[in-house]
Structure formats: C-alpha cells, structure tokens
Amino acid sequence: MHVRASVEGLRQRNLLSVSSSALMVVSRQVLHQIERHFISFHKIDSLLNHHFHSPQFQTSSSTMAQAECDGTTTAEVNIPVPDEKTASQEAAESGKRKSDEAAEEETSGHSKRRRGAGGKKPRPGERYIPPPQKRNPGVSFSQEHFDETSYYFEGGLRKVHPYYFDFKTYCKGRWIGKSLMEVFKSEFRTESIEYYQMAVKEGRIRLNEKPVEDLSLVLRNNDHMKNTVHRHEPPVVGRPLEVLVDDGEVLVVNKPASIPVHPCGRFRHNTVIFILGKERGVSELHTVHRLDRLTSGVLLFARTLETSQKLDKLVRDRQLEKEYVCRVEGDFPEGEMTCELPILVVSFKIGLCRVDPKGKESRTVFQKISFNGKTSVVRCLPLTGRTHQIRVHLQYLGFPILNDPIYGSSAWGPNRGKGGVPEKSTKELLQALVEEHRSPESLHLLDILDDGIERAVAKNKQSEKMHLLDSPSELNRSGESHLSDTQVQACSGETVEEAGQGCMDPNGNGTSSPKTQANTNANQTEPNQKSPPEVRDHLCSECKLVRPDPTEKELIMYLHALRYKGPDFEYSTPLPEWAEEDWVETG
C-alpha cells in the first residue's frame, strides 16, 4: 500500500485540508510509521494532530464513505491494526516472526532457491531436473581413471586399447529449448542421426541419469547428459617418458614429441599426466607450463600448491628463462637476430596465430647453431610467452620449422606466410589446412581442438579412402588387434547397456564405465607387449576402419625445449638427435 499516495488523495478530496508546505514538514519518521503499520484513517488523524495540533485533521464516517465511492478501497485506507505497541517492540516481533517463518520453510523443505538452481518440484507433466552438483575447480586424476584401460606397444608406437567412456556435460545455454535431435544434428555431426537413434535404443544416452527414450526430448536448463562411447585414441611415439628430477617439490620430465601434456580432444591415456599416473603412480601434479603436442623437451610440474604458486609467479614476472632449439628449412642468417613483431590469435577455436599489428607484443631472439646444406639448427630464446610464438616468428622470417604441420604448410600460399603477407583470408586458410589434412587422424596432428574440426571431420569422413572390416575376426594392416581380453565381455550388448551413458561434449569431462575397465596389472612398458584378439563394438564407426600407423615424420616436429632456468634452479636435456650438426633427414 502506498500511504503517501493515499494521504495525498485524501487531501485532494478535502478530507485533509493541509497545505503542501505543511505536508513537506511532516517528518519522514511519521510517514515511515504510517507506511510500516498500515495505519487506519483514525490513526493518521491522531499522529498528525500529535505533530500539528490542528483541528483540520478531524474526520467523519461520511467522508470515509465518500472516499469509498470515489474508488479508494478499504484495503488502501482502513486496514485494521492491532493494539498500539512501540516501534521497537513491533520490529522485534516482526523479526522474530520472519526468522520463525524462515526456519519453518527450511524445515519443510520449501525454502527459497537460487534462480536457475534447479531441483524445484515439477509441475504436472514436467520433467524433474535435479539441481546441478558442485564441480571440483581443479582437475585431479586418480587410480580409478588410470585403470580405465591399458597400453600396448607396436611398431615403435604406444597404443591404447579401446575402452568405453562416458562423456558428460550440463546443457549449454544455446541448447535450451532445442531437442536432442536438433543438438546432435547441429553440433555432433561426426556421427549420423541413425547412430544416435541406435545408441538411444541401447541405453547409451542418458539424461539426468535416466535413459533417453526419444531424441525429440526438449532440453532444459541444468539437464545433465551422458553419452557412452567406444573410445579410440591415436597412437604416440613409444619412447619412454624420462624423469629428469623428482625431489618432492618439482617433477621434471623430458617429454617426447607427439604426446600431449594433459587430456584433450581424442587424447586421454596417451598423455603425460596419464602415463606418469599409470606407470609411476604419480598424481595430483600442478602444471606450470605446457608444450605443444608435437614439441619435445623439458616439462615442469609442481608437486605442491606452494611450489606451483612460486613457479607461477616466476612465469608472470618473466624470471623464468627458456631456451629452445629447432631445425628450420634453409640457411638461417649468421649472428643474432631478434624478432619483435606482434602476434594475433586469428582463430581461438583451433589456436591459429599470425603476425599482425593488432596482436600482442612478442619478442624472440634467434641464433644459428649449424647448417647441413639443407636445413639449419637454430637456438631460440622467447622473451615473451605468446601462443606458437617461435613457430610464428620463424614463419614470418621465411624459415619455418621442419615438419611444422601448420606454419610450414603450403596452405598459406606460395610464400607460406613469409613476411606476414596475407595471401588468404582466415576462413580460406582454415579450409585449406583442413583440406591438406583430410583424414580425422591427420587433422589431430594439427593440434586442432575437437570442436574446431567436428564439422571438418564429418565433411571429409565420406570422402576418405578407408577400408571397412567385414567381420570381427579381421586384423588391421599390421596383423595385430586392438582390444584386451578383458574387454571381450565389455563389448557385448548386455554390458554396453549397463555401462554409464550420456551426451557427448568435446570439451566435457567423463569417466570410463566401471564395468568395462580393463585389467592393467600387466607390465605396461614392455616393448614386446602385443595386442590381444580384436573385439569390436557394433555401433562404433572407428571399429569399422583400418588406419595406417602414422610415420615418425607425422609425429615429430623439430622443436625442442632445451633448458628452463630460474633464479635458483636450472633444468636441461641433451640435444636431440636431429639437432646434431651432421644429421640428415631420411624418408
């Protein structure tokens, strides 16, 4: 009720013949009391008389009747009030009543919830959506994750036995109000709609822990989705992961090329984090910096939060000196050369960069070490830490790194990006890069994120020259198979239905289905370990394909992190074999 408006209305109807100046001097305290207690007309009379001692505030029942006829309701003007109490007493009682009500609401389970928190009682005909669970802000993998599957070694490569895995995600804002069918058609096109329909029939797609029965189901905020897939990981080089230092504060490794630092895209077990956990029992590491997947060399992890914070500060304050070595095409100029050109990320989705005046300040110092008649070994000192900084600056100078699948690619045009001359638009360049690496396997050699190539993979999938297996007993070209004995049962229809289910999210996290975890007690580092007889999943498209193993040239880029130095430490590796002066590329 707006008492100020009511008082003004009474004055206009000659019920209160008080001047405007008199009303203005009415204390805010009096009006506050009027508003707070919804005082009746007689109460207004007594209060105003108390302050003004004016007979003009006398009222009559006839004027009240007239006010009602004029449209002012009884609720607005004449609300019954209890016996008079002091303001402090009423405030105390009001506070008490509110607290009691809050306690009753909390006890009865009907307390107010945050907007969008979910968990509300559904209306008739509505789906129940449980409230979202709190997420762990840190990423920590345990033995449960490491035991999802196991490795085997073949042809100099480290391979992962395919395994069942639950991709998980909450409904994204852009999905709300759309059906599962629409979302799968627009954002998850690596598989056909027929695949998702069959997955629904087998209970592999779940919403809020319940199997989805129809893809026409419309998504709502806080829906939690799972998609159980038969997961295949690309192979990486089979060289062991050498630990340089492990003193309880830091863990330093010499990372081989082709192995990602942490799970991303199609890689999970074939990552440094998982190899350390599976083979050395090391977990809860703090990543200090990262190396591109195709880059080798010194990689630091902090063992404790305190050490992590210390190293992070050194990185921010640029007190961590980094030295790289690379092999580039052509004869690099003699002497020291500094490149101070700004670098701009032109595609965040795939992490593609180029020299551009609108970019961020970047500075790299280069110095030639040797030349073998075709290629040069160059020492690189990045003084800033931009994405792909060394690779972009060398491309601009006209000396791209040997085997660089992005910045050494002919997709840039005849000059391959030399001098920063844009021979193609960003869109044309991206299309050319995808076209050059047509197969899904080759696309992942670019370090392109999964969501950046989903559509490219779908577009190229039908045009690839890939061999379909006609029966589960056929082997791949190497004569070896891909699944462990313990996964034979896991591939049966019954176990598939029991394995956890969900909706695929390229950036989401997930877990391996507990009933399909492979036995990892075998020696995982034995070079002669062979893959067991192959068992396929009848819905898995990867199981129907035979891919040739990648060559060493496809897995190695000639860029190596040689040394990391701080105020009181220094970690380094020997020069890689390809950095020797007399090294000659073969194949």
Side-chain angles (χ1 to χ4, degrees):
M1 180 188 69
H2 300 284
V3 179
R4 292 178 189 269
S6 299
V7 173
E8 181 65 17
L10 293 174
R11 186 180 66 80
Q12 291 176 353
R13 294 180 176 88
N14 295 322
L15 299 179
L16 293 175
S17 56
V18 59
S19 67
S20 298
S21 59
L23 280 174
M24 291 181 65
V25 299
V26 176
S27 70
R28 291 185 178 181
Q29 180 178 4
V30 174
L31 289 176
H32 181 65
Q33 285 181 327
I34 294 172
E35 293 173 352
R36 182 179 179 84
H37 302 298
F38 304 98
I39 309 179
S40 68
F41 182 81
H42 295 290
K43 187 66 178 177
I44 295 173
D45 175 38
S46 62
L47 279 170
L48 293 178
N49 274 326
H50 174 73
H51 283 273
F52 297 102
H53 308 286
S54 171
Q56 293 176 341
F57 287 88
Q58 300 299 321
T59 62
S60 67
S61 59
S62 62
T63 56
M64 292 177 63
Q66 179 66 36
E68 290 179 3
C69 293
D70 288 341
T72 307
T73 64
T74 306
E76 289 177 322
V77 183
N78 190 23
I79 299 178
V81 220
D83 294 337
E84 290 186 33
K85 297 183 178 69
T86 65
S88 59
Q89 286 175 329
E90 292 188 353
E93 289 188 9
S94 175
K96 182 178 179 181
R97 285 194 297 272
K98 288 180 180 177
S99 62
D100 291 343
E101 290 170 1
E104 289 173 5
E105 286 181 350
E106 189 169 305
T107 305
S108 62
H110 296 294
S111 59
K112 293 182 180 179
R113 297 179 175 87
R114 289 186 298 105
R115 182 180 179 183
K120 295 188 297 184
K121 185 177 180 180
R123 298 174 183 175
E126 283 187 345
R127 287 190 295 108
Y128 170 72
I129 302 177
Q133 298 181 359
K134 292 182 179 179
R135 298 186 182 186
N136 184 353
V139 177
S140 181
F141 299 103
S142 64
Q143 193 62 42
E144 177 186 358
H145 303 103
F146 302 146
D147 287 345
E148 290 167 351
T149 185
S150 59
Y151 301 121
Y152 66 99
F153 295 81
E154 178 181 76
L157 300 174
R158 179 191 295 269
K159 298 183 178 181
V160 174
H161 295 301
Y163 55 102
Y164 286 96
F165 184 81
D166 291 339
F167 281 99
K168 304 175 184 178
T169 184
Y170 278 99
C171 177
K172 300 184 183 301
R174 63 182 181 272
W175 299 349
I176 296 175
K178 293 183 178 181
S179 67
L180 280 171
M181 177 79 76
E182 292 176 295
V183 172
F184 284 135
K185 278 184 177 179
S186 62
E187 303 208 23
F188 302 103
R189 302 199 298 179
T190 51
E191 298 290 353
S192 66
I193 288 299
E194 290 73 25
Y195 166 84
Y196 293 114
Q197 290 171 336
M198 290 188 290
V200 164
K201 289 181 180 179
E202 298 205 4
R204 299 194 188 191
I205 298 177
R206 298 177 70 89
L207 195 68
N208 305 319
E209 300 300 333
K210 295 181 179 180
V212 171
E213 297 179 356
D214 193 334
L215 289 178
S216 63
L217 184 146
V218 175
L219 294 173
R220 295 174 56 193
N221 190 28
N222 291 326
D223 270 332
H224 186 255
M225 295 170 280
K226 289 183 184 177
N227 180 27
T228 299
V229 300
H230 192 231
R231 189 166 179 174
H232 295 243
E233 295 192 25
V236 298
V237 296
R239 285 195 284 275
L241 197 62
E242 179 187 3
V243 175
L244 303 174
V245 176
D246 186 7
D247 59 9
E249 292 189 354
V250 296
L251 176 69
V252 186
V253 302
N254 184 5
K255 184 185 92 67
S258 80
I259 305 179
V261 175
H262 47 70
C264 56
R266 294 181 65 193
F267 295 89
R268 180 171 171 86
H269 289 265
N270 262 347
T271 60
V272 174
I273 292 290
F274 267 69
I275 293 173
L276 288 172
K278 293 163 76 75
E279 296 185 348
R280 294 181 174 268
V282 176
S283 60
E284 298 184 4
L285 296 173
H286 302 262
T287 305
V288 177
H289 66 109
R290 66 177 293 272
L291 296 176
D292 292 336
R293 184 168 62 85
L294 298 180
T295 303
S296 59
V298 176
L299 180 63
L300 276 71
F301 295 99
R303 281 283 208 169
T304 64
L305 180 59
E306 181 181 359
T307 303
S308 175
Q309 294 171 341
K310 174 184 174 183
L311 293 173
D312 286 344
K313 188 176 187 305
L314 292 179
V315 173
R316 288 195 306 271
D317 297 342
R318 297 184 180 177
Q319 296 184 36
L320 188 61
E321 298 179 16
K322 298 170 284 185
E323 179 181 349
Y324 288 71
V325 64
C326 65
R327 184 171 284 277
V328 302
E329 298 180 19
D331 187 4
F332 198 83
E334 298 289 344
E336 190 175 276
M337 178 184 294
T338 301
C339 185
E340 297 181 308
L341 295 165
I343 294 178
L344 178 70
V345 179
V346 295
S347 174
F348 286 97
K349 184 166 286 189
I350 70 169
L352 182 68
C353 305
R354 71 194 322 165
V355 168
D356 191 286
K358 300 190 292 287
K360 292 184 178 180
E361 171 196 0
S362 307
R363 188 178 182 212
T364 315
V365 178
F366 300 104
Q367 186 174 24
K368 183 170 76 172
I369 297 175
S370 65
F371 176 60
N372 67 358
K374 291 185 177 180
T375 57
S376 304
V377 177
V378 179
R379 178 173 176 258
C380 315
L381 300 176
L383 304 182
T384 52
R386 308 302 175 208
T387 301
H388 297 172
Q389 177 174 319
I390 294 174
R391 300 164 67 182
V392 173
H393 276 171
L394 284 170
Q395 179 201 41
Y396 181 90
L397 295 173
F399 301 94
I401 294 175
L402 200 62
N403 280 1
D404 190 329
I406 297 180
Y407 302 102
S409 168
S410 59
W412 293 81
N415 294 320
R416 293 192 294 173
K418 180 179 179 179
V421 179
E423 301 178 55
K424 297 180 180 180
S425 67
T426 300
K427 182 178 180 180
E428 292 171 338
L429 176 59
L430 294 177
Q431 289 175 342
L433 282 169
V434 170
E435 185 65 25
E436 185 172 306
H437 302 271
R438 291 184 62 86
S439 74
E441 201 72 24
S442 295
L443 282 169
H444 286 282
L445 296 177
L446 300 179
D447 277 338
I448 294 177
L449 299 178
D450 267 13
D451 59 344
I453 62 172
E454 288 284 342
R455 298 185 181 184
V457 171
K459 181 179 179 180
N460 293 326
K461 199 167 187 178
Q462 300 302 323
S463 62
E464 285 187 86
K465 294 181 180 179
M466 294 182 288
H467 302 274
L468 298 180
L469 296 179
D470 295 326
S471 68
S473 61
E474 292 189 41
L475 300 178
N476 62 24
R477 293 180 184 177
S478 63
E480 302 293 344
S481 52
H482 286 299
L483 283 168
S484 64
D485 290 326
T486 56
Q487 288 176 306
V488 173
Q489 181 182 359
C491 287
S492 68
E494 180 181 0
T495 310
V496 166
E497 293 179 359
E498 295 175 353
Q501 341 266 334
C503 185
M504 191 168 181
D505 177 11
N507 295 322
N509 51 18
T511 57
S512 180
S513 302
K515 297 198 176 190
T516 62
Q517 292 176 357
N519 185 354
T520 57
N521 293 331
N523 182 1
Q524 297 170 344
T525 60
E526 174 56 50
N528 295 324
Q529 184 177 351
K530 298 294 183 180
S531 54
E534 180 178 352
V535 176
R536 297 187 297 145
D537 177 81
H538 65 284
L539 292 187
C540 177
S541 60
E542 283 290 319
C543 286
K544 299 180 177 69
L545 306 177
V546 174
R547 301 186 188 278
D549 286 338
T551 64
E552 181 173 338
K553 184 176 181 179
E554 293 175 313
L555 294 178
I556 294 179
M557 179 174 64
Y558 297 113
L559 176 63
H560 180 85
L562 187 65
R563 180 178 292 105
Y564 273 60
K565 182 179 180 181
D568 54 357
F569 63 83
E570 180 176 340
Y571 308 115
S572 62
T573 71
L575 278 173
E577 181 183 352
W578 51 258
E580 300 293 337
E581 184 174 357
D582 57 351
W583 179 86
V584 178
E585 185 179 14
T586 59

